[in-house]
């Protein structure tokens, strides 16, 4: 049996406390009305020439954009100055309000990104776990207890996600603009989607997805524990069928979940491969976390039956699914870039213009790095190589979720500052605490699994 | 090539593997081993150096990637930067997504084909090549180990090979 070391427990709790304090600061820093925004912008202007120049450039850019939008209006050039002068007052207020919403969204979006990121890791691990059962993999049963423990976070993480979604539904934040009746009243595109995008149905769907995942996880883990004491393969067969059923349910629910929880942040935009794209992100992060936790536990001597061939296999998965993720990222990007249809391409324009570093940086982190580091078969057996790449993959996929959520919630007001980092600290601490606590609940080697002997002697 | 070799024929790959280990322990020199199918762990037991084919493949892939980039940069950007359907042909980077499918395919094409050709060249395989098969049964169900006699006593070596489980032992004179 594994016992949670007090050091690890303390570290996790410190992370949670520091993160919680940072989040409180983040929420307090968010402006509450237009005057606050005015003050903040004034303070920013006093910072010096550089920021001022930047802002002016921004303003010029906004004007240019405005000009482009009006391009087809005849006589625009003559009226331009007059119209601008007349509009200035109203426009200024409108701009401030826009800014206010973005800044108010900032801490919420930070929490949302981090909460979803850690939740999707445990969901990805659960999918991987079910896949191992359904495919009757011979190499992985020694890692089942690690996977079960990581998937334990699905319950607290899922409840937090549901609470966040419900808070949005009760209008405590402006993350989902389609939840705002005023916005919907003036937006025909969203009006046409209200049959799907309405708060009660949205929350019911979330409850069904989460409930389904909780129930499947509960029974998969329970059967796996019961198999330890069983005298026949009854529970193994049961889990095989359960895992197959879960995978069917998972693919449908995960796809819809990604429309609901991520894509609906941009209710004017849609992409057909979005569900797969989010899936690949969660799958590769999940596998990476399995590898990291296994390497950690092995280094502490808790997993003597895990050899470097198991790590090699996990690293192969990290490598392969990283490339799969890139394939989907590129397929989505390239198809939209190539056809350049205005209503689709705004999604990438807003990301490339305001988020170019995280947007392209994550492709480097999630593709180039694993590609070059994990291609060599020998490197895949070296723990520190796998750990280093794993950390980079996780950072990359955090940025992936970040660039999915942030542009539609905070727009150009993004920054990776106190609220974002604190949210990662908080949920990272909680995640660590939950999964290592779950590891203490059962022996680390599953007994009586028909493939356990093969897995212990697995050699590649 | 040794002037005299012994062909020890086994009818089981487990026996062969065991035999290889014993022969190497006794410090006899194994020339070649002929098997009808891949025997797992045989290269390790024989102490063969690992293949570097994968490394060559990586380098060929890099070459293919460079060819694709150079080709499209020259054709599409430098030589005749036409406006084709509004695609930005001002710089390579701006039109990069449109080139990626070709860059990918050429990388794979070079990596795969040049590696296969390297394999044929290194293992000396080509059409009309004369087969180097010492015993036709080794393509069907027999495993043949060729041991150099060198300056060892033939009788002792034969006895030793017989003890490792060889089903048939032949002394071959290379002319």
């Amino acid at each position: 049996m594994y016992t949670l070391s007090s050091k690890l427990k303390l570290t996790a709790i410190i992370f949670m406390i520091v993160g919680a304090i940072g989040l409180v600061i983040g929420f307090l820093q968010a402006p509450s009305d237009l005057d606050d925004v005015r003050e903040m912008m004034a303070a920013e202007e006093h910072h010096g020439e550089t920021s001022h120049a930047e802002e002016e450039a921004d303003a010029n850019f906004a004007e240019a954009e405005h000009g482009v939008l009006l391009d087809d209006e005849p006589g625009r050039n003559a009226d331009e100055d007059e119209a601008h002068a007349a509009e200035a007052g109203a426009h200024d207020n409108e701009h401030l309000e826009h800014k206010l919403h973005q800044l108010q969204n900032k801490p919420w979006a930070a929490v949302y990104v981090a909460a979803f990121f850690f939740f999707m890791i445990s969901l990805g691990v659960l999918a991987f776990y079910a896949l191992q059962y359904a495919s009757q993999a011979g190499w992985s049963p020694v890692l089942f207890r690690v996977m079960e423990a990581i998937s334990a976070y699905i319950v607290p993480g899922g409840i937090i996600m549901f609470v966040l979604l419900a808070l949005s539904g009760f209008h405590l934040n402006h993350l989902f603009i389609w939840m705002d009746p005023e916005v919907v009243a003036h937006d025909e595109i969203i009006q046409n989607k209200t049959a799907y995008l309405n708060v009660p149905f949205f929350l019911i769907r979330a409850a069904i997805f989460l409930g389904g995942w909780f129930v499947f996880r509960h029974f998969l883990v329970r059967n796996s524990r019961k198999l330890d004491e069983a005298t026949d393969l009854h529970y193994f067969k049961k889990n095989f069928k359960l895992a197959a059923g879960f995978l069917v349910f998972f693919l449908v629910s995960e796809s819809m979940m990604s429309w609901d929880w991520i894509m609906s942040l941009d209710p004017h935009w849609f992409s057909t491969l979005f569900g797969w794209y989010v899936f690949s992100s969660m799958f590769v992060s999940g596998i990476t976390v399995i590898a990291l936790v296994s390497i950690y536990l092995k280094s502490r001597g808790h997993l003597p039956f895990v050899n470097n061939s198991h790590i090699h296999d996990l690293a192969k998965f990290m490598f392969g699914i990283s490339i799969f993720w890139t394939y989907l990222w590129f397929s989505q990007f390239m198809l939209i870039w190539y056809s350049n249809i205005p209503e689709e391409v705004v999604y990438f324009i807003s990301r490339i213009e305001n988020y170019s570093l995280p947007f392209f940086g994550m492709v480097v982190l999630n593709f180039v790095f694993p590609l070059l580091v994990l291609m060599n078969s020998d490197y895949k057996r070296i723990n520190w190589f796998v750990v280093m790449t794993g950390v980079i993959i996780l950072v990359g996929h955090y940025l992936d979720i970040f660039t999915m959520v942030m542009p539609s919630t905070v727009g150009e007001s993004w920054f990776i500052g106190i609220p974002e980092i604190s949210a990662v600290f908080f949920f990272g601490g909680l995640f660590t605490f939950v999964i290592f606590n779950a590891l203490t609940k059962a022996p680390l080697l599953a007994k009586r699994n028909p493939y356990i002997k093969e897995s212990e002697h697995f050699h590649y | 090539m040794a002037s005299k070799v012994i062909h020890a024929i086994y009818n089981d790959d487990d026996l062969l593997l065991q035999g290889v280990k014993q022969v190497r322990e006794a410090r006899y020199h194994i020339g070649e081993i002929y098997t009808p199918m891949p025997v797992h762990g045989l290269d390790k037991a024989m102490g063969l150096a690992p293949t570097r084919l994968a490394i060559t493949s990586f380098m060929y892939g890099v070459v293919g990637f460079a060819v694709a980039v150079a080709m499209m940069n020259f054709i599409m950007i430098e030589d005749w930067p036409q406006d084709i359907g509004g695609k930005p042909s001002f710089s390579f980077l701006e039109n990069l997504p449109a080139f990626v499918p070709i860059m990918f395919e050429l990388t794979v094409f070079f990596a795969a084909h040049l590696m296969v050709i390297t394999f044929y060249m290194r293992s000396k395989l080509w059409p009309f090549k004369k087969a180097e098969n010492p015993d036709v049964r080794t393509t069907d169900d027999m495993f043949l180990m060729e041991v150099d006699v060198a300056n060892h006593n033939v009788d002792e070596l034969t006895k030793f090979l017989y003890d490792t489980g060889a089903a048939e032992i032949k002394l071959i004179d290379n002319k």
Side-chain angles (χ1 to χ4, degrees):
Chain A
M1 289 291 264
Y2 173 74
T3 48
L4 185 58
S5 72
S6 57
K7 235 185 186 168
L8 195 68
K9 200 170 169 179
L10 197 65
T11 317
I13 289 173
I14 288 173
F15 266 74
M16 276 158 71
I17 292 171
V18 170
I21 293 171
L23 278 178
V24 171
I25 294 172
F27 276 102
L28 290 178
Q29 272 181 345
S32 51
D33 54 26
L34 289 179
D35 293 333
D36 282 357
V37 183
R38 233 173 251 134
E39 261 172 52
M40 278 170 87
M41 286 170 81
E44 257 173 51
E45 266 175 53
H46 284 301
H47 269 307
E49 294 301 302
T50 43
S51 70
H52 193 68
E54 257 173 52
E55 213 145 289
E56 223 167 312
D58 254 6
N60 282 343
F61 175 73
E63 225 167 276
E65 205 177 34
H66 201 61
V68 169
L69 288 175
L70 295 171
D71 224 7
D72 47 354
E73 268 177 49
R76 178 182 66 85
N77 290 333
D79 296 337
E80 191 182 36
D81 288 346
E82 263 176 71
H84 259 281
E87 261 174 36
H91 193 74
D92 198 36
N93 254 350
E94 214 172 280
H95 177 67
L96 280 179
E97 203 165 328
H98 186 59
K99 187 93 180 163
L100 170 70
H101 282 241
Q102 291 187 340
L103 290 174
Q104 280 179 335
N105 265 346
K106 213 165 135 8
W108 284 102
V111 171
Y112 192 77
V113 171
F116 181 77
F117 175 68
F118 285 101
F119 171 74
M120 83 170 188
I121 290 177
S122 62
L123 187 58
V125 169
L126 186 61
F128 191 72
Y129 177 64
L131 201 61
Q132 300 306 308
Y133 259 112
S135 63
Q136 306 198 7
W139 65 278
S140 54
V142 293
L143 297 169
F144 274 4
R145 286 293 141 85
V146 175
M147 296 182 207
E148 286 167 12
I150 299 172
S151 69
Y153 181 74
I154 207 171
V155 179
I159 291 170
I160 291 171
M161 277 309 293
F162 189 80
V163 169
L164 281 175
L165 297 173
L167 289 180
S168 295
F170 295 131
H171 307 296
L172 266 84
N173 57 53
H174 298 97
L175 289 182
F176 297 88
I177 55 161
W178 58 263
M179 287 178 178
D180 190 340
E182 254 178 69
V183 173
V184 179
H186 299 102
D187 194 322
E188 210 173 326
I189 296 176
I190 302 181
Q191 279 166 25
N192 289 334
K193 296 185 181 181
T194 43
Y196 186 78
L197 288 182
N198 60 75
V199 174
F201 188 31
F202 177 80
L203 290 180
I204 290 169
R205 282 198 304 271
I208 292 172
F209 304 152
L210 288 167
W213 299 331
F214 291 174
V215 167
F216 271 112
R217 184 198 172 262
H218 175 77
F219 284 107
L220 277 166
V221 172
R222 199 184 67 166
N223 287 345
S224 159
R225 302 278 151 89
K226 278 188 175 169
L227 188 63
D228 274 9
E229 267 90 56
T231 49
D232 57 10
L233 290 181
H234 174 69
Y235 287 108
F236 178 77
K237 287 178 187 161
K238 244 183 153 174
N239 249 9
F240 172 75
K241 286 177 197 157
L242 205 58
F246 169 75
L247 288 172
V248 174
F249 175 75
F250 171 76
L251 276 181
V252 176
S253 56
E254 186 274 336
S255 191
M256 294 179 77
M257 175 273 275
S258 70
W259 308 336
D260 282 6
W261 298 3
I262 311 258
M263 204 159 78
S264 83
L265 291 164
D266 275 294
H268 283 195
W269 181 80
F270 52 86
S271 164
T272 35
L273 62 68
F274 199 75
W276 282 104
Y277 174 62
V278 173
F279 164 73
S280 67
S281 203
M282 69 169 60
F283 206 48
V284 69
S285 335
I287 293 164
T288 304
V289 170
I290 297 174
L292 294 183
V293 173
S294 308
I295 289 173
Y296 169 77
L297 288 174
K298 190 171 161 53
S299 75
R300 292 292 144 106
H302 295 299
L303 298 176
F305 35 82
V306 172
N307 58 41
N308 65 10
S309 290
H310 295 108
I311 304 299
H312 183 269
D313 255 32
L314 285 170
K316 260 192 296 198
F317 267 107
M318 282 159 63
F319 175 72
I321 309 294
S322 280
I323 289 169
F324 177 61
W325 174 88
T326 316
Y327 168 68
L328 292 176
W329 175 85
F330 182 71
S331 300
Q332 179 169 282
F333 173 69
M334 195 259 223
L335 283 182
I336 290 175
W337 173 87
Y338 207 99
S339 56
N340 204 16
I341 299 170
E343 67 250 37
E344 285 180 353
V345 86
V346 282
Y347 182 83
F348 286 113
I349 287 181
S350 64
R351 274 154 184 79
I352 290 171
E353 264 167 12
N354 302 319
Y355 289 76
S356 58
L357 183 66
F359 186 67
F360 291 112
M362 81 180 176
V363 182
V364 175
L365 296 181
N366 290 341
F367 173 61
V368 179
F369 214 90
L371 179 83
L372 294 178
V373 176
L374 290 182
M375 194 186 292
N376 190 320
S377 182
D378 295 332
Y379 291 175
K380 286 195 272 257
R381 294 172 187 278
I382 301 172
N383 285 347
W384 68 267
F385 260 105
V386 179
V387 171
M388 183 180 66
T389 325
V391 169
I392 285 183
I393 288 176
L394 289 181
V395 172
H397 284 283
Y398 172 78
L399 284 179
D400 186 17
I401 304 300
F402 188 84
T403 48
M404 283 191 230
V405 172
M406 288 294 176
S408 28
T409 50
V410 306
E412 63 271 30
S413 311
W414 73 278
F415 187 68
I416 299 190
I418 293 175
E420 286 78 10
I421 294 170
S422 308
V424 172
F425 273 23
F426 178 76
F427 286 103
L430 182 66
F431 182 77
T432 317
F433 184 76
V434 169
I435 67 170
F436 281 96
N437 200 39
L439 275 169
T440 63
K441 298 283 156 63
L444 289 178
L445 182 62
K447 273 181 287 183
R448 293 204 42 82
N449 184 302
Y451 294 101
I452 200 79
K453 267 281 167 289
E454 181 183 340
S455 181
E456 279 178 66
H457 297 128
F458 173 67
H459 172 79
Y460 172 76
Chain B
M1 205 179 213
S3 59
K4 276 185 181 174
V5 293
I6 287 185
H7 282 177
I9 297 181
Y10 297 82
N11 46 24
D12 187 283
D13 50 346
D14 286 338
L15 277 179
L16 173 77
L17 267 182
Q18 209 186 343
V20 169
K21 276 176 200 143
Q22 288 171 347
V23 170
R24 289 195 77 216
E25 258 168 43
R27 304 218 160 265
Y28 292 119
H29 184 259
I30 300 175
E32 286 284 350
I33 293 182
Y34 297 86
T35 61
M37 81 288 195
V39 177
H40 254 290
L42 185 60
D43 50 341
K44 220 166 245 171
M46 286 171 73
L48 297 181
T51 171
R52 288 168 295 179
L53 212 52
I55 299 170
T56 66
S57 177
F58 177 78
M59 294 191 293
Y60 296 144
V62 172
V63 171
F65 183 76
V67 167
V69 171
M71 177 182 79
M72 284 181 296
N73 184 48
F74 177 72
I75 297 174
M76 302 300 288
I77 309 296
E78 283 174 10
D79 192 35
W80 197 289
Q82 251 195 129
D83 183 341
I84 302 166
K87 285 281 156 287
S89 49
F90 309 108
S91 73
F92 186 77
L93 214 57
E94 271 176 291
N95 212 356
L96 178 71
F99 302 148
V100 166
I102 297 161
M103 281 151 63
F104 171 77
E105 292 296 346
L106 276 183
T107 307
V108 173
F109 180 86
F110 273 61
H113 288 82
L114 293 181
M115 177 180 74
V116 167
I117 294 169
T118 308
F119 167 73
Y120 285 151
M121 286 165 66
R122 288 291 291 157
S123 44
K124 302 192 175 67
L125 279 175
W126 58 85
F128 312 114
K129 178 195 162 75
K130 196 175 172 300
E132 299 166 2
N133 197 0
D135 190 315
V136 286
R137 291 170 301 167
T138 59
T139 63
D140 182 14
D141 63 342
M142 290 296 194
F143 304 82
L144 188 150
M145 176 161 54
E146 190 184 271
V147 183
D148 293 346
V149 175
N151 48 4
H152 300 296
N153 182 321
V154 174
D155 289 337
E156 248 175 57
L157 182 51
T158 310
K159 172 86 175 56
F160 179 82
L161 287 173
Y162 178 76
D163 287 343
T164 63
E168 230 179 279
I169 297 170
K170 278 189 279 190
L171 182 66
I172 307 285
D173 247 328
N174 279 322
K175 273 147 223 155

